[in-house]
Amino acid sequence: MSQEKKPLPTIPLTYAGSNCEGCPAHNAGQLLRLGVNMENWDFVIALAGNPNTGKSTVFNALTGLRQHTGNWPGKTVTRAEGGFSYGEHRYKIVDLPGTYSLLSTSLDEEVARDFILFGQPDVTLIVVDATRLERNLNLVLQVLQITDRAVVCLNLMDEAERHGLKVDERRLARDLGVPVVPTAARYRRGFDQLLAAIADVATGRTVCKPRHMKSESGTIRQAVERLTDKLHQLYPQLPNARWVALRLLDGDQRIATAVQNGELGELSRQTPDDVQTLHLEAVA
Amino acid sequence: MTTLPLPNNQATTADDILKTAESLRWEVGRDFHERLMEDVYTEAAQLADRAVTYPQQKPRFDLDRTIDRIVTSRLWGFPMMILLFTLVFWITISGANVPSGWLATLLVDMGHPFLKGLADGIGLPWWLSGLLIDGIYLAAAWVTSVMLPPMAIFFPLFTLLEDFGYLPRVAFNLDNMFKKSGAHGKQALSMMMGFGCNAAGVVATRVIDSPRERLIAIITNNFALCNGRWPTQILIATLFIGSTVPAYLAGLVSALAVVSVALLGVMLSFAVSWGLSRTVLKGEVSTFSLELPPYRPPRVWQTIYTSMIDRTLFVLWRALVFAVPAGAVIWLVANVQIGGLSLAEYIINFLNPLGLLLGLNGVILLAYIVAIPANEIVIPTILMLTVLVTGSAGGSGAGVMFELDSNAETMALFTAGGWTLLTAVNLMLFSLIHNPCSTTIYTIYKETGSRKWTAVAALLPVAMGFLITFLVAHSGLF
């Protein structure tokens, strides 16, 4: 894959020239909220996160919509969509149901998981609660097993500050291998950097190198390796074979079906050719 | 990691992969899912720990976490649960006696003669005043005086526990056992609701996504002792179990007896879930995340107010709605005579052999038939029918539901009716293990949309109740 590109896991703070045009803050004026108008989008953003992390606030701030979502996991099983334009690109953003995990298969988790996997968003924006980082990272780690195009929005920084918490976002970005942007969505703080990070990952200017879980006992590792090998034989380009192997071992019917009917094969064909290279060329 | 293009793509097929996966699943073991989750959690914890600095270097003393450590601990979790619920019932039992007595004096001892006098004054025919005042009015008065005080104590206490954040911890404690029974962990939540009302509990199973596990939760919800059955348990425990120990222990022992019956219900839930998930409802267990909310100091006055309005009065209203026609039916079966014997006596004589075989009696069985609409009226019905059969002078005659002035008199009546400790124990058991009330049955039908499963949910507990009471009756313990 695109490993030879130099990884830029943290927020790119300076750009060539480092003048006003280069400053991410300068681009803030370029945000155009398009509401439900999602025509001619260049990139698709999936919005994932635990319930109650301010996901909808981020969604509303970006699109200008007033999406109301309930707090109960399982109640919101549909997804809301909206659009915005930033810089020279137009984005479609899909608000997924808030979930704690992507492992078990309740309806809400399945909707979120399927979109991240099969919907192939250009960027998955994971909104996390800075005051409950540990619990939120469970989901982040799971998302990063499925896709490597992700941005972490470290939200509720205002609350974290109030509680006297300090979150070292650079360290976190280095550990996770994806951009991490601190925000306070309620006060629109940090949105300039967030938009810049999203644009950079979407266009391929930032190449993520997400952390992959290491691990587990010998038997599991061997089983995973055997399956991963087989998957690679059938679908040589599959980007997340290891994750697929884990799902199969867990008895995930949906994934088994996708292996069977070739749905996964289509993913692997599409990823390198159609989508990714195009964006990489744009940068190069 | 760039993947090497392997030459023999044809060698591996999708079926091959799935077959390999299937066989490898045996090797990785049943707890694979948990280990996977554990890996994620461990890693998340490490990452968070590296990134977050707390205000003081040393993590502050965290009250929530400390409480959680105790109430959800493997060692203390269950004892704490039993202790807390025993305390709640003990407060309910010992606190309800006095106001119950006041209400009974007001509504029954004073209200009933007053209305009777009024009816005589305006010259109502005996059958009409009998039906209206001895039947309907007394049923309503009895239900109010017996049910209102315990509910007015129990529901606010229960709601306070809920507000404080304790119930999700109970669900957390029970989750593992539900899982072992092949059921969904969220069944612990619907069961908690069932302790209030089974119909509400059945609706609450909507939080369970898998249809298989949801059916299990619906069928077993009846084993959560619902509000309508608490008064039966409390009264019988107070009269029979409490009287077997010295007076100063009576309240505590009665409370423990009630808690034991409730716990037995929980055990039966596990047992039946286990049985169902291994026979007709086979399948894999799904996992879920349960967020333990922070403990909050409950808003006491608001809780008392809302639990009075939403629960106490709501349930009381429902009980009254059902008690009114039941009161009429009871009066009628006790007063319609065929060949010198009342209808009730015919039925009781018919049911007696079966009742005695189960360590119960015909009166109790008839009461359960009359009380299908609402469990709340079982005790008044039993008392009334016992008077009818024994011809005891304690009450006001055929078909009149009444409140006896003291527990001692009620006890005397039961003894005259041939009751023993066995009858009491088996009544408590049967009250736990019998068909759900008609409201719950209807709710089950609406939720499952299946006549078959509704029938299973209604008949399975009755069959089990017959079996268990029969076994206890012939165990030689009593």
Side-chain angles (χ1 to χ4, degrees):
Chain A
M1 289 188 286
S2 38
Q3 236 57 2
E4 55 279 4
K5 287 267 167 190
K6 74 179 159 90
L8 275 178
T10 44
I11 324 152
L13 287 174
T14 49
Y15 285 82
S18 72
N19 51 18
C20 291
E21 274 86 358
C23 171
H26 180 79
N27 296 336
Q30 295 177 23
L31 171 66
L32 209 62
R33 299 185 184 93
L34 299 174
V36 289
N37 179 2
M38 292 163 276
E39 283 160 20
N40 307 320
W41 43 268
D42 302 299
F43 301 111
V44 177
I45 302 170
L47 193 56
N50 287 15
N52 253 337
T53 50
K55 237 157 36 71
S56 327
T57 318
V58 171
F59 177 83
N60 291 343
L62 291 176
T63 59
L65 289 172
R66 285 195 182 79
Q67 164 78 7
H68 179 80
T69 50
N71 282 342
W72 276 96
K75 288 284 182 287
T76 326
V77 290
T78 48
R79 34 178 234 231
E81 304 185 353
F84 68 91
S85 100
Y86 173 75
E88 63 268 38
H89 297 292
R90 289 165 73 90
Y91 297 81
K92 178 168 109 168
I93 181 163
V94 181
D95 191 10
L96 301 175
T99 57
Y100 294 109
S101 109
L102 298 176
L103 285 177
S104 50
T105 47
S106 63
L107 194 53
D108 47 350
E109 293 184 1
E110 206 167 295
V111 169
R113 207 249 339 249
D114 283 359
F115 189 79
I116 297 171
L117 180 65
F118 301 113
Q120 294 206 290
D122 298 285
V123 182
T124 301
L125 180 60
I126 315 163
V127 183
V128 305
D129 178 349
T131 64
R132 286 176 178 77
L133 193 58
E134 179 179 336
R135 193 189 72 200
N136 282 255
L137 283 178
N138 292 327
L139 180 73
V140 175
L141 288 169
Q142 290 171 43
V143 172
L144 293 185
Q145 290 183 320
I146 304 179
T147 174
D148 43 8
R149 306 172 131 254
V151 172
V152 171
C153 168
L154 192 60
N155 198 26
L156 301 176
M157 281 305 283
D158 47 327
E159 276 188 31
E161 278 157 27
R162 217 175 29 247
H163 289 111
L165 290 179
K166 286 201 183 72
V167 183
D168 184 350
E169 74 266 10
R170 293 181 182 212
R171 157 132 252 164
L172 197 59
R174 264 196 299 278
D175 282 348
L176 292 174
V178 297
V180 175
V181 186
T183 63
R186 216 173 307 161
Y187 309 105
R188 302 265 165 100
R189 255 168 56 195
F191 271 60
D192 312 328
Q193 288 93 326
L194 184 66
L195 283 163
I198 292 172
D200 286 347
V201 172
T203 56
R205 208 174 311 154
T206 298
V207 175
C208 306
K209 195 180 175 186
R211 176 190 199 83
H212 282 134
M213 304 247 327
K214 21 172 223 301
S215 253
E216 313 116 13
S217 72
T219 20
I220 293 185
R221 196 164 46 232
Q222 278 166 19
V224 170
E225 273 163 20
R226 259 184 75 188
L227 267 186
T228 313
D229 283 349
K230 279 191 179 289
L231 281 162
H232 271 146
Q233 280 171 36
L234 186 62
Y235 305 124
Q237 307 287 352
L238 192 65
N240 40 23
R242 195 176 169 284
W243 180 79
V244 173
L246 283 172
R247 295 316 303 148
L248 288 178
L249 286 175
D250 204 8
D252 192 319
Q253 272 313 306
R254 176 75 183 86
I255 301 299
T257 315
V259 170
Q260 187 97 54
N261 65 18
E263 220 172 325
L264 274 179
E266 278 162 36
L267 287 189
S268 52
R269 265 194 298 281
Q270 220 175 51
T271 314
D273 312 335
D274 317 337
V275 199
Q276 238 168 8
T277 44
L278 199 82
H279 300 155
L280 290 175
E281 273 164 16
V283 182
Chain B
M1 31 139 217
T2 34
T3 46
L4 294 167
L6 285 148
N8 52 342
N9 269 7
Q10 300 329 102
T12 314
T13 64
D15 282 330
D16 184 24
I17 292 176
L18 295 184
K19 269 200 206 98
T20 316
E22 206 47 50
S23 68
L24 285 172
R25 286 192 69 196
W26 291 102
E27 285 175 36
V28 296
R30 278 186 77 100
D31 59 343
F32 177 70
H33 190 90
E34 283 66 37
R35 272 154 71 184
L36 219 61
M37 292 295 271
E38 223 169 281
D39 281 339
V40 173
Y41 280 39
T42 318
E43 191 142 335
Q46 283 167 0
L47 290 179
D49 193 46
R50 278 153 63 97
V52 181
T53 323
Y54 291 90
Q56 292 95 342
Q57 270 311 52
K58 229 169 40 176
R60 268 174 312 167
F61 169 72
D62 189 330
L63 187 63
D64 276 25
R65 204 172 301 172
T66 314
I67 299 176
D68 267 345
R69 231 172 250 154
I70 299 168
V71 301
T72 64
S73 96
R74 273 163 208 267
L75 191 63
W76 295 106
F78 279 92
M80 283 289 293
M81 228 161 74
I82 292 167
L83 196 73
L84 265 173
F85 284 117
T86 308
L87 186 73
V88 166
F89 292 127
W90 181 70
I91 296 175
T92 307
I93 288 173
S94 44
N97 272 340
V98 178
S100 266
W102 290 342
L103 278 175
T105 309
L106 185 72
L107 295 175
V108 183
D109 298 349
M110 290 156 67
H112 181 249
F114 172 75
L115 284 176
K116 272 300 232 190
L118 207 65
D120 288 346
I122 58 170
L124 277 186
W126 73 271
W127 56 269
L128 190 59
S129 88
L131 188 67
L132 289 178
I133 300 168
D134 295 340
I136 294 173
Y137 171 77
L138 268 185
W142 212 98
V143 165
T144 309
S145 64
V146 160
M147 291 186 56
L148 185 59
M151 283 196 315
I153 300 173
F154 178 73
F155 280 136
L157 286 176
F158 199 72
T159 316
L160 283 175
L161 275 183
E162 196 180 322
D163 255 29
F164 178 60
Y166 184 63
L167 292 195
R169 271 80 188 178
V170 173
F172 179 88
N173 284 339
L174 296 178
D175 166 59
N176 195 29
M177 296 179 71
F178 275 111
K179 218 183 142 177
K180 281 191 185 136
S181 336
H184 197 291
K186 279 186 195 165
Q187 194 172 322
L189 296 173
S190 61
M191 191 178 76
M192 286 293 132
M193 294 288 293
F195 277 120
C197 169
N198 293 135
V202 168
V203 175
T205 60
R206 287 182 187 172
V207 297
I208 298 169
D209 302 290
S210 130
R212 177 189 80 87
E213 289 160 326
R214 192 164 166 223
L215 258 180
I216 293 179
I218 289 177
I219 293 169
T220 57
N221 195 273
N222 185 43
F223 295 116
L225 200 61
C226 75
N227 159 79
R229 293 179 274 172
W230 291 112
T232 310
Q233 300 290 347
I234 292 171
L235 182 73
I236 299 298
T238 313
L239 288 182
F240 286 89
I241 316 280
S243 66
T244 58
V245 294
Y248 66 97
L249 282 175
L252 189 65
V253 171
S254 319
L256 277 172
V258 176
V259 171
S260 314
V261 171
L263 279 178
L264 176 70
V266 176
M267 299 301 155
L268 285 173
S269 258
F270 292 137
V272 174
S273 302
W274 186 85
L276 287 173
S277 69
R278 263 153 197 78
T279 51
V280 281
L281 290 169
K282 266 187 208 159
E284 291 192 36
V285 177
S286 28
T287 311
F288 76 109
S289 310
L290 177 71
E291 184 176 4
L292 296 181
Y295 289 104
R296 295 200 184 92
R299 290 155 302 174
V300 178
W301 292 112
Q302 197 179 336
T303 304
I304 290 174
Y305 176 77
T306 49
S307 69
M308 282 299 278
I309 302 295
D310 293 348
R311 292 187 162 167
T312 311
L313 292 182
F314 174 80
V315 173
L316 185 68
W317 172 244
R318 204 183 84 89
L320 286 175
V321 166
F322 283 108
V324 165
V329 169
I330 292 166
W331 189 86
L332 283 174
V333 291
N335 284 279
V336 173
Q337 304 224 333
I338 303 165
L341 273 180
S342 70
L343 206 54
E345 280 165 301
Y346 276 112
I347 304 172
I348 291 166
N349 290 339
F350 173 76
L351 290 172
N352 245 335
L354 175 64
L356 292 174
L357 187 68
L358 301 174
L360 300 164
N361 55 44
V363 168
I364 297 175
L365 291 185
L366 176 58
Y368 271 96
I369 296 172
V370 174
I372 284 176
N375 282 295
E376 286 84 348
I377 54 174
V378 163
I379 282 293
T381 311
I382 287 175
L383 284 174
M384 183 281 295
L385 293 171
T386 307
V387 173
L388 179 74
V389 177
T390 57
S392 160
S396 327
V400 183
M401 279 210 263
F402 58 92
E403 162 75 344
L404 291 151
D405 292 337
S406 72
N407 282 347
E409 279 179 40
T410 316
M411 186 69 179
L413 177 66
F414 280 142
T415 319
W419 285 50
T420 59
L421 188 58
L422 170 70
T423 324
V425 169
N426 269 0
L427 173 59
M428 287 175 80
L429 288 173
F430 194 71
S431 157
L432 173 72
I433 319 162
H434 71 283
N435 57 288
C437 69
S438 54
T439 312
T440 306
I441 296 177
Y442 178 63
T443 312
I444 293 173
Y445 176 68
K446 274 203 306 192
E447 292 296 313
T448 60
S450 147
R451 274 161 214 243
K452 188 184 97 185
W453 289 115
T454 309
V456 170
L459 298 177
L460 182 73
V462 192
M464 287 178 60
F466 281 172
L467 182 70
I468 290 172
T469 48
F470 174 82
L471 289 178
V472 171
H474 297 271
S475 64
L477 281 172
F478 299 97

